[in-house]
Amino acid sequence: MKQVQDVASDTRERLMDVAERLFAERGYSNVPTRMIAEEASANTAAVHYHFGSKERLLEAVFHRRLEPMNRERIAKIKEAMAASGNGRPDVEVVLRAFIEPTLRKPRDDGERAFRLLSGRASTDPNPEVKRILFQAYDEVARAFADAIAKACPELSTEELFWRVACVYGAMLYIRADNGRLQPVFGKEFSLSDPEGALRYAIAFMRAGMQAPPAGPVD
Amino acid sequence: MKQVQDVASDTRERLMDVAERLFAERGYSNVPTRMIAEEASANTAAVHYHFGSKERLLEAVFHRRLEPMNRERIAKIKEAMAASGNGRPDVEVVLRAFIEPTLRKPRDDGERAFRLLSGRASTDPNPEVKRILFQAYDEVARAFADAIAKACPELSTEELFWRVACVYGAMLYIRADNGRLQPVFGKEFSLSDPEGALRYAIAFMRAGMQAPPAGPVD
DNA sequence: AACTGATTAAAGCAAGCGCTTGACACAATC
DNA sequence: GATTGTGTCAAGCGCTTGCTTTAATCAGTT
């Protein structure tokens, strides 16, 4: 019984590992289920046996990583709110709660691959991909929006909306690591360096969030 | 002669218009050439007659919009450098030179579609797409990097690299307009609003670029 | 030893893919 | 008025796609 389940979840796990890496490298639409099965030393039927469809495999890949990560983000956001005594939380603390879990050092190749995948998928127009991301991020997105609004009470909702978009964009661009800035700045710099991401990107974002309001468009 | 060319470039132009819109809406890999041809009231053979391949059609779509846009960006960047007498150009002026042409109000539906397309393609892992974007943006990327480095001389190359990445990310996320922030902030706000993009996003970026250096990671 | 339920494997289906073909239309050229 | 060059068209080629089918395998139970 035990052994059967172990072997079973072994193939399942291997399929997710391979799919995660290939989706990150080549994009969901450009990875055939056959390729996933082959690299996982499994049969294409195994993909549909374990997940039902290619789309649900992607869903499982996201769920596996996002479940713990988003739980942590929400916990830290709530912590930041509580620390302020329900007053005005610190901008940098809120930013870190939202961003640190997504940009810190990956623990293994799987996490590294998923970091790429989630960044790249963020602008994927494929409706299957969009649906999965919407669902996966909705709760943490709302929690962050609430917290950052409380941390920046002098901003109108409109101005807040735009600044949050900039924060999202920066975070996701770093995660996606499309390699376009390497040839410009030199190969010694990499968006996949977690030290720089947390130190420099958060400094940028904090300054952006704390800039004096530009005020409404006349 | 005149009339023949007119009719010819008519189909060619129509194919590019439709491809631009469909690539933006569904992603390059998810749009069959058959669909492009059908919506352009043409034959699939016309795609290959005029462009040689689907990949070269994408290239043509990018080239058509990017040629004038990047020429303008580079001219404005040079202008900003010249205005400073080859000293220290203004950060906001440099930012605007780089970003305004990409975020201002689209003149028609074609420009609007391309705005989406270019934002979404920026993190597309498909090697065909990556190659085209690398090529198309290399020159303007270098010009901007030079100018912004001169405008922020107190930043180390490493710190500059990360801040430029944040600027890229914010700009491209706004262009991509993936619709994920709408349900959080309410439908009255849209990343496709060019007034807000220029006013609020540039204020954010300027503050980010002008933040005091965080200094090296110890 | 027969049975059961959970997996895996080989083969293939219908549909869709990028691209090519050969015939044809038509204005411009000679 | 035959020829040429340009563009369009219906048809289809070879291949790949996500997914299904059918049969086999294997551990655990009876």
Side-chain angles (χ1 to χ4, degrees):
Chain A
M1 179 63 163
K2 184 89 188 315
Q3 212 157 355
V4 171
Q5 277 195 345
D6 274 2
V7 172
S9 63
D10 209 52
T11 298
R12 214 186 116 95
E13 212 68 20
R14 260 184 5 255
L15 284 170
M16 285 204 274
D17 291 343
V18 170
E20 185 172 61
R21 178 170 53 80
L22 291 178
F23 287 160
E25 287 171 359
R26 315 165 69 106
Y28 174 75
S29 303
N30 303 313
V31 180
T33 52
R34 278 170 175 78
M35 188 185 288
I36 298 168
E38 192 179 343
E39 295 206 22
S41 304
N43 193 279
T44 64
V47 172
H48 297 94
Y49 175 79
H50 285 289
F51 302 99
S53 67
K54 185 187 173 185
E55 183 178 351
R56 297 240 301 280
L57 166 58
L58 178 66
E59 208 163 359
V61 165
F62 266 94
H63 188 263
R64 178 175 64 159
R65 303 274 180 209
L66 251 36
E67 169 70 17
M69 194 175 91
N70 282 346
R71 212 202 324 269
E72 181 190 346
R73 292 165 95 184
I74 287 174
K76 287 192 169 171
I77 288 170
K78 281 188 177 152
E79 205 175 294
M81 304 271 274
S84 72
N86 288 324
R88 175 174 175 168
D90 183 74
V91 172
E92 177 159 346
V93 173
V94 172
L95 277 175
R96 276 193 186 279
F98 182 60
I99 284 170
E100 209 251 37
T102 79
L103 289 188
R104 68 162 158 242
K105 189 174 166 58
R107 273 171 302 197
D108 52 41
D109 287 345
E111 280 195 6
R112 207 183 327 278
F114 182 73
R115 182 171 153 163
L116 284 178
L117 172 58
S118 67
R120 292 177 178 175
S122 66
T123 54
D124 195 316
N126 185 324
E128 303 173 21
V129 179
K130 285 187 81 163
R131 186 189 62 77
I132 289 169
L133 264 68
F134 255 79
Q135 216 167 285
Y137 287 109
D138 190 66
E139 192 187 356
V140 70
R142 288 177 194 280
F144 173 64
D146 285 354
I148 200 74
K150 287 221 172 71
C152 303
E154 68 281 2
L155 299 179
S156 68
T157 308
E158 184 176 14
E159 193 143 14
L160 189 71
F161 167 78
W162 285 97
R163 295 194 185 191
V164 167
C166 290
V167 167
Y168 265 79
M171 175 186 73
L172 290 167
Y173 189 78
I174 290 169
R175 270 176 88 79
D177 194 12
N178 67 5
R180 210 193 293 163
L181 289 176
Q182 249 101 333
V184 177
F185 283 88
K187 302 224 170 185
E188 63 265 35
F189 303 119
S190 166
L191 291 178
S192 63
D193 164 33
E195 312 257 358
L198 288 170
R199 182 171 189 81
Y200 300 122
I202 286 193
F204 181 97
M205 295 175 192
R206 191 196 55 211
M209 291 304 305
Q210 289 181 327
V217 181
D218 310 308
Chain B
M1 179 65 162
K2 184 92 187 312
Q3 213 156 356
V4 170
Q5 279 196 343
D6 274 2
V7 171
S9 63
D10 210 50
T11 298
R12 214 185 116 94
E13 213 66 24
R14 254 175 22 245
L15 285 170
M16 286 203 275
D17 291 343
V18 171
E20 183 172 62
R21 178 170 53 80
L22 291 178
F23 288 158
E25 287 172 359
R26 314 165 71 108
Y28 174 75
S29 304
N30 303 313
V31 180
T33 52
R34 281 172 174 79
M35 187 185 289
I36 298 168
E38 192 178 342
E39 294 206 23
S41 304
N43 192 278
T44 64
V47 172
H48 298 94
Y49 175 80
H50 285 289
F51 302 99
S53 68
K54 186 186 173 187
E55 184 178 349
R56 296 241 301 279
L57 166 58
L58 177 66
E59 210 164 358
V61 166
F62 267 93
H63 188 264
R64 178 175 62 159
R65 302 277 179 206
L66 251 36
E67 169 70 19
M69 196 176 89
N70 282 346
R71 213 203 323 269
E72 181 188 346
R73 292 164 94 185
I74 286 174
K76 286 191 170 172
I77 288 171
K78 281 189 178 152
E79 205 175 294
M81 305 271 274
S84 72
N86 289 323
R88 177 174 174 166
D90 183 74
V91 172
E92 177 159 347
V93 173
V94 172
L95 277 174
R96 276 193 187 279
F98 182 60
I99 285 169
E100 208 249 41
T102 78
L103 289 187
R104 68 163 158 241
K105 188 173 167 58
R107 273 171 301 197
D108 53 41
D109 288 343
E111 282 196 4
R112 207 183 327 279
F114 182 74
R115 182 171 153 162
L116 284 178
L117 171 59
S118 66
R120 292 178 177 174
S122 65
T123 54
D124 196 315
N126 186 322
E128 303 173 21
V129 179
K130 286 187 82 166
R131 186 189 61 77
I132 289 169
L133 264 69
F134 255 78
Q135 215 166 286
Y137 287 110
D138 190 66
E139 191 187 355
V140 69
R142 289 176 193 279
F144 173 64
D146 284 353
I148 199 75
K150 286 222 171 72
C152 304
E154 67 281 3
L155 299 179
S156 69
T157 309
E158 184 176 14
E159 193 143 14
L160 189 71
F161 166 78
W162 285 97
R163 295 194 184 189
V164 168
C166 290
V167 166
Y168 265 80
M171 174 186 74
L172 290 167
Y173 190 78
I174 291 169
R175 269 175 89 81
D177 194 12
N178 68 3
R180 210 194 291 164
L181 289 176
Q182 250 99 333
V184 176
F185 284 87
K187 303 225 172 188
E188 63 266 34
F189 303 119
S190 166
L191 292 179
S192 63
D193 164 33
E195 313 258 359
L198 288 171
R199 183 171 188 78
Y200 300 121
I202 286 193
F204 181 97
M205 295 175 193
R206 191 196 53 213
M209 290 303 306
Q210 289 181 328
V217 180
D218 311 309

